[in-house]
Amino acid sequence: SRYDERAETFRALDYVRTNAFRLEQINLNKERLVIISDVHKGDKTDCDDFRKNEYIYCHALRYYQQKKFCLVLNGDIEESWESPTDSISKAYSAGPFQIEKMFNQKPGSYFRVYGNHDLNLKDSKVIESFLNPLVSQVQVHEGLMINDQIFIVHGHQGDRQSDKTSRRSRWFVRHVWAPLQRRHLTWIILPIIRLLRVECENRAAENVRVRQARDQYLYEWAKKNRLLLIAGHTHRAMFCSSSKADNLQEFVEGLEAAEELDFNDKDYFLKKASLAYLTNQLAGAQDDLKQTAPDEAGKPTPCYFNAGSCVFTNGITAIELDRGEIKLVKWEVTDTVFEKRSGFTRRPDYFISIERKLYQKGSLTEILAEIQSGQA
């Protein structure tokens, strides 16, 4: 029979919601939580996509730990499809796991949700032998529910390739794709993979069509249930049910509408440069320019958020719930040189900096009210 992925996604998310670990009576105007997804810690070989962002991740986590955020790791934190747990432990015990353990020293400050790539953490024996020695005692959940309003889940549930046939997908990645990556030979088999449309190209993180469909199903389920849903899995950051490309498009349209600018305006060239920059950015992001289905007012209900991933080529993204606001941020390396004054000389401090860039923010109270008032 034909697989109905939308129906299966709805059914699976209903189940996870019912059985989610519940955080009740959380004062969202005072609490600070950061949600990070799709870290994909591997074995530090050439198939490990996380290794280039290891220090960015650790720097960001240290910031959140010092600012007294609670840490929510929302699935695919370890890359268990490609690497055995002992290799992952050996690769990252000094660094990422150390910082994570610092959160877990305070009760209620460290939460884990499993995804499809770390599905082995459903097994309490794996948690006991692998995770507990690294970060101390921890529970791993399939979903978290905050105040019956905010639902945190990885988002692979119902995905045919990553959920229903995940054992086959895992075998392919572990025994075919990862060995080729380590030997820099994926270019040989990639055309065949694409021609046959096998596992690697049917994953949400790899295939634009699959990613957009997954975003759409997650959005529709959240809208139907009047919940603020925070997911991962697709590796595409989303804010208020729109992608970065969607939001850039809005900025471009706004700038184009104000094309008749005063040459004497001190920001004249800044606005011109912004328009040129954003237009160039959008030229390379056309595949992501597909907004989730709008409501009757012509815009989507702001119910779906996605934390993105930690395996981008230039940094990591996260969703922050910060004392009444929800924010989409990105941490990335810049080559800004800091200088310190010492007497009459100036010397470079560090050649680079790791910056936290705020992409978007909004009021949680207003967003939750808009979700509740929407048509189910």
Side-chain angles (χ1 to χ4, degrees):
S1 61
R2 190 162 178 258
Y3 186 81
D4 187 342
E5 187 163 305
R6 182 181 183 277
E8 287 297 315
T9 297
F10 276 43
R11 183 196 61 76
L13 290 175
D14 286 342
Y15 174 83
V16 179
R17 178 190 181 185
T18 301
N19 295 279
F21 183 78
R22 310 188 88 79
L23 299 171
E24 306 286 2
Q25 298 180 335
I26 301 297
N27 188 338
L28 294 171
N29 290 319
K30 293 183 177 180
E31 291 294 334
R32 309 184 86 180
L33 296 88
V34 57
I35 298 96
I36 297 176
S37 180
D38 295 87
V39 180
H40 290 281
K41 298 189 204 97
D43 58 5
K44 284 196 175 179
T45 64
D46 288 341
C47 70
D48 183 357
D49 294 326
F50 170 68
R51 62 177 183 166
K52 62 183 177 293
N53 289 331
E54 175 188 359
Y55 302 125
I56 300 175
Y57 176 79
C58 291
H59 181 82
L61 259 56
R62 175 157 285 176
Y63 166 91
Y64 289 122
Q65 196 267 335
Q66 291 173 344
K67 296 291 184 181
K68 296 181 171 29
F69 275 75
C70 298
L71 176 63
V72 179
L73 296 177
N74 190 22
D76 286 6
I77 307 306
E78 282 78 48
E79 181 44 80
S80 297
W81 279 17
E82 291 184 348
S83 307
T85 53
D86 58 344
S87 297
I88 299 171
S89 174
K90 188 180 298 183
Y92 291 113
S93 60
F97 284 116
Q98 275 184 302
I99 302 291
E100 290 175 25
K101 186 176 181 179
M102 293 173 68
F103 286 90
N104 204 23
Q105 290 172 349
K106 180 182 177 182
S109 292
Y110 182 70
F111 298 95
R112 276 273 195 146
V113 173
Y114 61 77
N116 50 305
H117 282 255
D118 51 11
L119 195 64
N120 55 342
L121 294 178
K122 287 180 68 173
D123 188 340
S124 60
K125 293 180 180 178
V126 176
I127 297 173
E128 184 67 32
S129 62
F130 164 58
L131 208 52
N132 286 352
L134 293 166
V135 298
S136 193
Q137 296 294 311
V138 64
Q139 290 183 318
V140 184
H141 311 283
E142 190 171 5
L144 298 177
M145 180 66 76
I146 301 176
N147 294 350
D148 287 325
Q149 296 174 299
I150 300 174
F151 183 46
I152 302 174
V153 68
H154 182 65
H156 67 284
Q157 288 81 359
D159 185 325
R160 183 172 188 174
Q161 207 67 44
S162 298
D163 188 8
K164 298 304 176 183
T165 62
S166 61
R167 287 190 178 184
R168 186 175 65 189
S169 302
R170 182 179 184 274
W171 182 92
F172 176 83
V173 170
R174 173 73 68 89
H175 299 290
V176 179
W177 186 251
L180 289 172
Q181 274 190 302
R182 293 187 181 101
R183 294 170 176 81
H184 304 281
L185 295 175
T186 54
W187 61 272
I188 295 175
I189 196 172
L190 198 55
I192 302 172
I193 289 173
R194 287 175 175 160
L195 181 65
L196 298 178
R197 297 181 179 179
V198 295
E199 282 85 350
C200 181
E201 285 295 290
N202 283 337
R203 287 186 290 156
E206 305 288 342
N207 186 300
V208 172
R209 241 180 341 100
V210 175
R211 180 167 63 241
Q212 290 175 344
R214 184 107 302 256
D215 283 334
Q216 186 66 34
Y217 301 149
L218 293 170
Y219 165 76
E220 290 175 5
W221 182 87
K223 181 181 177 182
K224 176 178 182 291
N225 289 276
R226 297 186 181 182
L227 290 170
L228 191 159
L229 171 64
I230 302 175
H233 186 56
T234 67
H235 293 200
R236 178 165 75 154
M238 300 282 286
F239 190 88
C240 285
S241 307
S242 296
S243 71
K244 179 185 174 183
D246 294 322
N247 292 308
L248 289 181
Q249 181 68 49
E250 287 187 24
F251 284 127
V252 167
E253 290 170 357
L255 286 169
E256 287 176 339
E259 185 65 25
E260 297 297 325
L261 301 173
D262 183 357
F263 180 82
N264 294 315
D265 182 346
K266 66 181 179 62
D267 290 332
Y268 175 81
F269 289 108
L270 176 60
K271 293 173 182 175
K272 286 287 190 180
S274 295
L275 181 58
Y277 174 81
L278 292 174
T279 302
N280 184 59
Q281 289 282 302
L282 283 170
Q286 292 301 311
D287 285 340
D288 277 342
L289 271 172
K290 182 181 180 182
Q291 202 173 55
T292 42
D295 59 18
E296 292 76 10
K299 65 177 184 177
T301 302
C303 56
Y304 174 47
F305 294 74
N306 195 298
S309 85
C310 294
V311 294
F312 294 117
T313 57
N314 60 338
I316 71 174
T317 54
I319 294 286
E320 298 174 1
L321 304 181
D322 187 4
R323 296 170 298 191
E325 292 185 319
I326 184 167
K327 304 174 183 178
L328 171 62
V329 302
K330 185 175 184 183
W331 293 83
E332 62 183 31
V333 170
T334 68
D335 60 359
T336 303
V337 176
F338 286 106
E339 292 184 334
K340 288 184 178 178
R341 184 175 293 278
S342 178
F344 295 98
T345 63
R346 295 176 73 86
R347 64 174 180 82
D349 192 2
Y350 308 108
F351 182 71
I352 61 97
S353 64
I354 300 174
E355 294 188 2
R356 172 185 168 275
K357 294 186 175 181
L358 173 63
Y359 276 146
Q360 288 180 280
K361 69 176 181 178
S363 164
L364 267 175
T365 300
E366 293 176 5
I367 290 171
L368 288 170
E370 188 172 344
I371 292 170
Q372 285 300 310
S373 66
Q375 296 298 314

